[in-house]
Amino acid sequence: MIKVEHAVKMFGNKKALNDISFTVGEGRIVGLLGTNGAGKSTALKAIAGLTRLDRGQITIDGKSPCLDTRGKLTYLPDVDVWYPWMTLSDAMQYMKDMYWDWDDDKARHLLDFFELTPDLPIRQASKGILAKMKLLLALSRQAKYLLMDEPFSGIDPFARKQIAQAIVEDFLEEGQTILITTHELSEVEVMLDEVLFIHDGKLLLSGHVETLKQERSQSLMEILKEVYDHARV
């Protein structure tokens, strides 16, 4: 279980996280949604142990983010972190050397599924191909928790569908807990169990997706728009 309690993170005078609390249960696909600058990426980085909170705490299976808990999660950032001179094969070998839970069989399956070339240099990859490479490197670990920051950003609809399918298949096979941020709500709505909607670092709405839709007789997009509009008044 991932538990965030009264988390506050300041960048200058701005509160990227403003006393935010939420829990992500095991075996769930949870959407962390919000506009640009809402605090989504900051929250993921804090959970991954890459950003230190100013106040509050985060625990992963009862422990604060540290070397022990990092072995339980894999983090897919929204920026490119690999050296451009590397090939996909180089990056795969690096991950295999770094993480004991690297799964060669899974990596080969994703190579075929995404139709990727192992010797393709990262600097020559298109945005869509690069997104698939990053997802392969994240999903090829057997980590308990998968944190994904904007995996669909800037890529074409066909690639988005491929990536969404890979995420769902991986979840169904492994039973991982997935926390995902995205602007592409149409791609993820069908896969989400729960939603966390934040604005200006505050949690405005949380709950089970189907329950929220039934209670309000609205689509998820309509619900989020209504909550967002109300927060801006």
Side-chain angles (χ1 to χ4, degrees):
M1 176 187 295
I2 298 172
K3 194 170 185 178
V4 179
E5 298 178 280
H6 303 290
V8 174
K9 179 62 184 177
M10 303 288 296
F11 292 108
N13 294 323
K14 177 178 172 55
K15 284 186 177 179
L17 299 177
N18 189 356
D19 195 31
I20 188 171
S21 300
F22 60 84
T23 298
V24 178
E26 295 184 13
R28 301 283 187 177
I29 302 181
V30 180
L32 183 60
L33 308 178
T35 57
N36 286 333
K40 306 184 302 295
S41 294
T42 301
L44 283 194
K45 289 176 182 176
I47 293 170
L50 301 176
T51 293
R52 186 188 294 266
L53 296 178
D54 294 307
R55 292 198 302 275
Q57 69 172 355
I58 294 172
T59 55
I60 301 169
D61 293 342
K63 296 183 178 180
S64 298
C66 60
L67 289 177
D68 289 340
T69 59
R70 286 178 192 175
K72 292 185 175 183
L73 61 84
T74 183
Y75 170 60
L76 179 67
D78 63 339
V79 295
D80 300 334
V81 297
W82 300 100
Y83 293 112
W85 53 262
M86 279 184 166
T87 64
L88 175 56
S89 181
D90 292 331
M92 290 168 65
Q93 186 61 50
Y94 174 85
M95 292 292 287
K96 184 176 181 178
D97 291 342
M98 284 290 293
Y99 296 102
W100 64 268
D101 57 1
W102 177 264
D103 188 329
D104 278 329
D105 290 338
K106 201 171 183 183
R108 284 192 291 268
H109 167 72
L110 289 169
L111 273 174
D112 293 338
F113 180 81
F114 286 136
E115 299 178 328
L116 293 172
T117 304
D119 59 359
L120 176 67
I122 290 174
R123 64 173 173 268
Q124 295 180 12
S126 66
K127 198 169 183 68
I129 294 297
L130 187 58
K132 293 176 184 178
M133 286 180 170
K134 288 164 62 178
L135 191 66
L136 180 150
L137 295 169
L139 292 182
S140 293
R141 288 184 54 203
Q142 300 287 353
K144 183 177 180 180
Y145 300 103
L146 175 58
L147 312 179
M148 309 182 70
D149 197 359
E150 297 290 350
F152 305 109
S153 179
I155 60 177
D156 63 83
F158 178 72
R160 289 203 302 267
K161 289 185 182 299
Q162 268 195 310
I163 290 173
Q165 183 181 345
I167 293 170
V168 171
E169 287 185 356
D170 184 71
F171 173 80
L172 292 175
E173 179 181 344
E174 304 294 340
Q176 289 173 304
T177 299
I178 300 174
L179 183 58
I180 181 171
T181 77
T182 182
H183 289 99
E184 304 294 341
L185 188 57
S186 60
E187 299 294 346
V188 300
E189 181 173 356
V190 295
M191 71 171 75
L192 295 180
D193 296 306
E194 298 173 11
V195 62
L196 301 164
F197 184 64
I198 64 176
H199 175 63
D200 284 343
K202 297 179 180 179
L203 182 63
L204 300 185
L205 177 73
S206 64
H208 192 278
V209 171
E210 291 305 316
T211 300
L212 290 171
K213 289 162 66 174
Q214 290 175 12
E215 288 178 348
R216 297 171 180 248
S217 298
Q218 293 175 301
S219 68
L220 184 57
M221 178 62 78
E222 289 171 336
I223 294 170
L224 299 184
K225 184 178 184 304
E226 184 178 284
V227 172
Y228 176 67
D229 289 343
H230 181 74
R232 296 179 64 197
V233 174

